[in-house]
Amino acid sequence: MTGSIEQGISQTHGNTHILHFLVRLPRPMAAVWPYLATPEGLSSWCAEADVLEPRLGGTVDLKELGGGRITAWDVDRVAEYSVAGGRIRFHLERDGDDGCALRFTHEFQGEAETEQRWRTRFERLIEALENGSRQPPPG
């Protein structure tokens, strides 16, 4: 199985932009989770994570995306970060025997983030999972 990024959906409601992606990943949920929920994992494909306290209500600081709190945390399934000007949600689901699907939502204000920026990030995530190893990043 190789990873794939299905068409992103972009919506605007007033000043709020919402991006949705479905990303099919070539590894089981347990192997992908550290890439979404650890500083080392997020730094490898998404944004430098200066702080990430892995628990509901914990502090998170993602350099390119801002600092804030963890507003949803279901280990191995859901990580949601409410950061300056927005909310980022990663939701993992099983997809076949050996893979998983990442349902992603980014709700934000302003023009800093785009569908193409997230597509590029997800390409880096797929590459890290396919070329790195089946082992998660240290963390």
Side-chain angles (χ1 to χ4, degrees):
M1 174 185 181
T2 60
S4 66
I5 306 165
E6 298 194 5
Q7 181 63 41
I9 298 170
S10 180
Q11 302 171 327
T12 302
H13 301 282
N15 294 332
T16 302
H17 304 283
I18 304 170
L19 296 177
H20 297 280
F21 280 94
L22 176 62
V23 183
R24 297 191 187 280
L25 299 166
R27 298 287 182 264
M29 291 168 46
V32 174
W33 177 252
Y35 286 88
L36 309 176
T38 67
E40 298 84 6
L42 286 165
S43 295
S44 73
W45 71 276
C46 181
E48 285 292 318
D50 289 335
V51 176
L52 194 149
E53 297 173 342
R55 60 180 170 77
L56 185 61
T59 300
V60 63
D61 188 2
L62 304 174
K63 263 195 196 246
E64 296 174 29
L65 300 165
R69 295 277 176 213
I70 297 174
T71 49
W73 192 260
D74 183 0
V75 174
D76 292 333
R77 289 188 55 90
V78 177
E80 180 180 280
Y81 308 126
S82 292
V83 295
R87 179 178 60 92
I88 301 163
R89 183 178 182 88
F90 301 108
H91 184 133
L92 289 174
E93 300 172 350
R94 287 185 55 176
D95 189 25
D97 292 334
D98 298 322
C100 67
L102 169 61
R103 294 189 184 278
F104 170 81
T105 303
H106 186 188
E107 184 178 312
F108 62 97
Q109 295 187 353
E111 302 297 324
E113 290 300 318
T114 64
E115 186 175 326
Q116 186 55 50
R117 282 185 72 175
W118 278 107
R119 184 173 295 280
T120 299
R121 287 178 179 127
F122 292 133
E123 288 169 358
R124 287 194 306 254
L125 174 61
I126 290 168
E127 183 177 328
L129 288 165
E130 288 178 346
N131 298 331
S133 71
R134 292 183 183 262
Q135 297 299 315

